[in-house]
Amino acid sequence: MLTIYPPREELADLLVTGPFADALRVAIQVRGLSLERLQHRLKVRGAPISVTALSYWQSGRRRPERPESMRALAHLEDVLGLPEAALSRLLGPPRPRGRSRRREESARTPWDGSGLELTAQHDRVDVAPCGGVRGVRSRQVMRAKAGSVDRWILCHETGTAQGTPQPALSAVRSCRVGRVARERTGGVLVAELVFDEPISAGESIAIEYELIYPHPTVEHTHFRRFSEPVHDYVLEIEFTAEPASCEQFASGPAGAELCGGVRPAALDDRGRAHAAATDFGPGLYGMRWTAAANASGSSSHG
């Protein structure tokens, strides 16, 4: 059965993931204006643009590049009721012209951060007395593989159902929060973390961010999915109340348990457990626990 998602929900995702043409097309659909009406409103604002050009932009055949086109695009964002630069950010760097175009295009890195290599990750998880997660602070080190990269896309499985409150995202170090969207099916937070300064090929950056849940999660686990090997991954769990049990686990990309992939995790005298992996992935790595029978506190999302 084919599922058709509401245009507004689709637009929220496209303004983060792109591409530009799809985001523009859906934004026009949501606003409910014809291309002719858009052209008229832009002309009134002193930013004339042809209907043909608008059609080409939303079909992907062409994109705004000239100064007058970029001025028109800024007015178009306002007419469509979008945040400032919501569409222009999806364009990336200007396309080169002439004989050097092919060479420069091959060196360009996509804006979505796919030109980044994760080398180290450190997650510190705060667990409520009920066993649910209250917050996660993450620090990660990344290296640019090519081109110039200025942001990374966070895709965080929140463990919350669709329509329930999502965690609040804040930047802690060397980055700021850009555009934020929720996956249409719920349960996944998608957001930009924009670097304080872009990094070039071979350069590294260490960023830190935090997620705070309005209510402790129902799930009593935290894990990471690694699509590529990571040199170092450290996971710390800080328990407010000692759990009945705690274990670390790992699985391969197909879901099969790795040899020795599940083992008990000991707590220190401060009620913390940790697990560490070196040169791990691709695969899933995390910890899960069971709250004590007398644990108190809400575990619902409200």
Side-chain angles (χ1 to χ4, degrees), residues 1-264:
M1 181 178 67
L2 176 65
T3 301
I4 300 178
Y5 297 103
R8 289 185 183 276
E9 295 183 15
E10 183 179 4
L11 177 59
D13 287 352
L14 287 172
L15 290 177
V16 170
T17 64
F20 168 82
D22 291 349
L24 174 59
R25 186 180 65 255
V26 175
I28 293 174
Q29 179 184 355
V30 169
R31 192 70 174 85
L33 294 173
S34 67
L35 296 185
E36 290 76 12
R37 190 61 181 167
L38 284 175
Q39 180 199 33
H40 174 71
R41 294 197 178 188
L42 292 173
K43 183 178 180 180
V44 170
R45 289 168 171 252
I49 195 77
S50 69
V51 171
T52 300
L54 291 172
S55 178
Y56 282 173
W57 290 359
Q58 71 168 356
S59 68
R61 294 179 62 182
R62 293 181 185 174
R63 69 177 200 173
E65 291 183 340
R66 297 177 179 176
E68 57 269 25
S69 296
M70 296 304 297
R71 286 194 295 270
L73 179 59
H75 286 286
L76 181 59
E77 291 167 338
D78 189 45
V79 171
L80 294 174
L82 301 175
E84 183 180 356
L87 292 173
S88 61
R89 289 177 181 176
L90 299 176
L91 291 172
R95 291 185 296 188
R97 300 179 181 276
R99 289 180 296 178
S100 63
R101 174 174 178 174
R102 180 175 300 177
R103 182 177 66 254
E104 293 186 27
E105 285 187 340
S106 65
R108 188 184 309 147
T109 300
W111 70 268
D112 62 3
S114 60
L116 290 167
E117 175 188 9
L118 178 66
T119 59
Q121 176 89 36
H122 183 183
D123 291 337
R124 191 166 68 247
V125 182
D126 175 33
V127 176
C130 64
V133 175
R134 292 189 297 200
V136 180
R137 177 169 285 208
S138 297
R139 180 178 182 272
Q140 57 192 64
V141 181
M142 296 169 287
R143 181 171 57 243
K145 295 185 289 187
S148 178
V149 187
D150 68 349
R151 68 197 67 195
W152 176 72
I153 301 300
L154 167 69
C155 295
H156 178 76
E157 297 183 34
T158 65
T160 59
Q162 187 172 9
T164 58
Q166 298 286 321
L169 171 64
S170 61
V172 178
R173 174 186 175 186
S174 301
C175 63
R176 62 177 174 81
V177 178
R179 292 161 293 174
V180 179
R182 265 70 185 183
E183 187 182 278
R184 288 183 289 262
T185 55
V188 176
L189 172 67
V190 182
E192 290 178 325
L193 289 173
V194 182
F195 305 154
D196 289 347
E197 296 290 341
I199 58 174
S200 301
E203 294 181 338
S204 295
I205 187 172
I207 67 169
E208 192 169 349
Y209 61 91
E210 187 171 39
L211 291 160
I212 300 297
Y213 286 82
H215 306 285
T217 63
V218 174
E219 291 78 8
H220 297 175
T221 184
H222 179 86
F223 56 86
R224 285 278 180 181
R225 300 180 190 273
F226 296 100
S227 59
E228 297 181 356
V230 60
H231 182 63
D232 290 300
Y233 177 54
V234 178
L235 172 57
E236 290 184 285
I237 311 293
E238 299 183 354
F239 294 99
T240 305
E242 184 174 344
S245 65
C246 182
E247 64 181 15
Q248 65 184 76
F249 61 91
S251 61
E257 294 293 340
L258 298 177
C259 179
V262 178
R263 60 177 64 93

